[in-house]
Amino acid sequence: MSSRDSSIAKPQGCTLDETTRVEYLQAMGIQPWYSRHESDDLTETHAQVAEPVVAEVSESAEVLKIEPDLLPGKIDISTCDWPTLEQQVSHCQLCELHQTRTQTVFDVGNRNADLMLIGEAPGEEEDIKGDPFVGSAGHLLDAMMQAIGLDRQNVYITNVLKCHPPANRKPHTSEIVCCDPYLQQQIKLVQPKLILALGRVAAHHLLLTQDKLGSLRQKQYTYNGIPLYVSYHPAYLLRKPIEKRKSWQDLLEVRRFLNNN
Ligand code: URA
């Protein structure tokens, strides 16, 4: 059992390498620093809070006709209700992905669901349609849910990133960090009984680890007190159908958990 600590100190059991951890801290506007005292252990990184990351949005606000109080960076995302949160996301310009997206992709499904599925980022089709998991990976995800008696009406689905990364490239750490308050607030509002992290990007971000996905599955973690499992991303299963057997074991674990809780 391991858990994510949302504080900036290295969480117990955190297996992020130092470069990635420093990237995370910097993207959050937090500067890592090291003690000057020679006698101190220089291998331990401390952190202090620097200026918060505030989007430079003043010009575009006029174009987008956003209420000034709702500008990204001017509002505390952790206090947003659903309509405000969704609006914040739709106007977000915190990272460069806003320049290339067609639209933001916020969520689909039931906002009171017991099970919350978290994928990586919208693909091309999701970028066009505005809903998560509507392409081929989405069809497989639907089938996976149906196999354990669930569908889009009774699960909640979102992604770590709310914008499509061009050419389906992997999300950058800075983009993940910019989007994280939105995801955290979605989790807080849904309060699912169980989170299922689909694929490496979601698992690594939520668990602050870089361990191989295969070694993360079939274990129960907690994310801010909410039980969390890890399984393969449906897009990966489309490329490697042989892994569907393991994915099925993970889904059975999810079903068992939901039956018992
Ligand atoms: N892959 C994801 O991770 N999310 C989507 O919404 C679609 C494909």
Side-chain angles (χ1 to χ4, degrees):
M1 193 91 134
S2 106
S3 69
R4 173 185 163 131
D5 182 339
S6 55
S7 69
I8 49 183
K10 192 167 180 167
Q12 256 196 334
C14 169
T15 53
L16 279 186
D17 66 44
E18 191 56 13
T19 314
T20 311
R21 203 167 81 85
V22 168
E23 262 181 17
Y24 257 87
L25 291 171
Q26 283 171 342
M28 286 189 284
I30 295 168
Q31 277 174 352
W33 56 278
Y34 297 88
S35 168
R36 290 210 193 97
H37 300 293
E38 277 177 13
S39 56
D40 288 356
D41 178 4
L42 290 176
T43 60
E44 188 187 346
T45 308
H46 304 268
Q48 62 184 5
V49 179
E51 287 297 299
V53 188
V54 175
E56 303 210 354
V57 287
S58 42
E59 278 173 29
S60 43
E62 252 177 44
V63 178
L64 292 169
K65 306 243 176 307
I66 314 173
E67 292 293 316
D69 282 355
L70 295 182
L71 289 175
K74 293 253 163 126
I75 192 165
D76 181 356
I77 297 297
S78 70
T79 62
C80 287
D81 58 11
W82 281 117
T84 320
L85 183 63
E86 197 162 359
Q87 190 190 21
Q88 284 293 302
V89 168
S90 70
H91 296 313
C92 182
Q93 300 186 356
L94 289 174
C95 78
E96 64 180 23
L97 292 181
H98 79 274
Q99 292 166 353
T100 48
R101 73 184 176 215
T102 305
Q103 59 192 312
T104 54
V105 177
F106 186 66
D107 68 358
V108 72
N110 184 338
R111 290 176 176 176
N112 296 309
D114 288 344
L115 177 62
M116 177 164 184
L117 306 176
I118 304 179
E120 176 177 322
E124 262 168 43
E125 287 189 61
E126 288 78 16
D127 177 62
I128 293 165
K129 294 194 180 140
D131 281 333
F133 284 101
V134 288
S136 46
H139 295 313
L140 177 56
L141 184 61
D142 286 343
M144 288 160 63
M145 288 301 105
Q146 272 164 17
I148 52 167
L150 297 170
D151 60 28
R152 280 184 187 233
Q153 311 324 312
N154 43 36
V155 298
Y156 181 79
I157 306 177
T158 192
N159 286 301
V160 172
L161 289 194
K162 310 300 184 234
C163 295
H164 169 55
N168 275 339
R169 65 158 169 75
K170 283 282 159 214
H172 296 156
T173 304
S174 57
E175 294 159 356
I176 293 176
V177 168
C178 285
C179 252
D180 182 60
Y182 304 134
L183 179 62
Q184 293 222 24
Q185 187 60 5
Q186 285 174 299
I187 295 172
K188 198 163 121 193
L189 288 171
V190 176
Q191 280 297 314
K193 283 189 183 159
L194 180 66
I195 295 172
L196 181 61
L198 294 168
R200 200 154 40 99
V201 168
H204 283 183
H205 175 56
L206 294 167
L207 296 176
L208 288 178
T209 181
Q210 288 178 323
D211 291 354
K212 284 198 152 90
L213 194 110
S215 70
L216 294 171
R217 42 182 293 279
Q218 292 285 310
K219 291 175 195 150
Q220 190 180 311
Y221 307 86
T222 55
Y223 181 87
N224 292 342
I226 300 171
L228 182 151
Y229 285 131
V230 169
S231 190
Y232 294 109
H233 192 287
Y236 172 79
L237 296 173
L238 288 173
R239 293 193 304 274
K240 275 213 150 191
I242 192 138
E243 303 288 33
K244 282 185 187 173
R245 269 173 68 122
K246 291 189 201 154
S247 158
W248 176 236
Q249 290 167 355
D250 299 343
L251 292 174
L252 288 178
E253 206 54 45
V254 167
R255 185 67 271 173
R256 252 192 297 274
F257 179 95
L258 294 174
N259 287 348
N260 295 333
N261 291 277

